[in-house]
Amino acid sequence: MSLADRALAPDPLDLLPPAPGFAVASTDLTDGEPLPLAQVHSSAGGEDLSPQLSWSGFPAETASFVISCYDPDAPTGSGFWHWVLVDVPASVTELATGAASGDLTGLPAGAYHVACDWGTKNYGGAAPPAGDRPHRYVFVVHAVDVPKLEINDAVSPAVVGFNLAFHTLARGVLRATYQH
């Protein structure tokens, strides 16, 4: 069986406690469309730049945000985390292109990354296996009910997700695809 013939993984948000939605927009990404090369990993010919994201319509009681990008289609049995940015202040409603890449000087004060599955603490772009079917990249802005998740940058994305199960007020989502 080829990689492209395996079963489709479920949408990761279908497996989480339900939460209301809010608007997320991007000047770099279009919901449902392929990722631009700027958001693709350097190993696949891209620039590894985190996308510009802005959000609105989240609950008034939001105390912070967590931003993530996950590929449920990676042939790992556990998907692939490309980005997990924690403790973004509630006053921040936009990240510029590249804010979570390079020297990270564009990150809001107090926000930090946990290591993505590339092993780095930043945005790591898409790089599905050559010839595999298009992969889905689920970009989520989580509105959180506490200013700090009370974890640190040494935890895994799974630990962040576990904490979000108890603190998410709402989610804004953009989904993109990429095929190499």
Side-chain angles (χ1 to χ4, degrees):
M1 171 170 48
S2 75
L3 282 176
D5 293 331
R6 69 192 188 286
L8 187 65
D11 184 298
L13 299 182
D14 290 345
L15 305 174
L16 298 176
F22 59 90
V24 176
S26 177
T27 58
D28 296 323
L29 308 177
T30 301
D31 192 48
E33 296 294 320
L35 287 171
L37 273 178
Q39 279 69 54
V40 171
H41 195 265
S42 57
S43 67
E47 298 177 44
D48 255 339
L49 289 177
S50 61
Q52 182 276 342
L53 296 174
S54 59
W55 51 95
S56 62
F58 48 86
E61 61 271 23
T62 299
S64 67
F65 299 99
V66 171
I67 299 167
S68 63
C69 176
Y70 178 73
D71 170 6
D73 301 315
T76 64
S78 61
F80 197 95
W81 288 98
H82 288 268
W83 191 15
V84 183
L85 179 61
V86 180
D87 291 352
V88 175
S91 60
V92 174
T93 58
E94 180 176 6
L95 290 178
T97 302
S101 309
D103 64 9
L104 306 178
T105 56
L107 288 184
Y112 63 92
H113 286 103
V114 301
C116 68
D117 284 337
W118 288 111
T120 58
K121 292 180 180 177
N122 58 1
Y123 170 81
D132 201 4
R133 65 171 169 243
H135 284 214
R136 298 167 291 163
Y137 296 87
V138 183
F139 290 84
V140 183
V141 178
H142 309 261
V144 180
D145 66 356
V146 292
K148 305 265 182 215
L149 278 185
E150 302 299 332
I151 56 175
N152 61 48
D153 69 347
V155 304
S156 69
V159 170
V160 175
F162 180 81
N163 280 272
L164 286 173
F166 304 101
H167 293 289
T168 296
L169 296 168
R171 295 182 193 97
V173 183
L174 281 176
R175 290 178 172 84
T177 62
Y178 191 72
Q179 185 175 29
H180 182 59

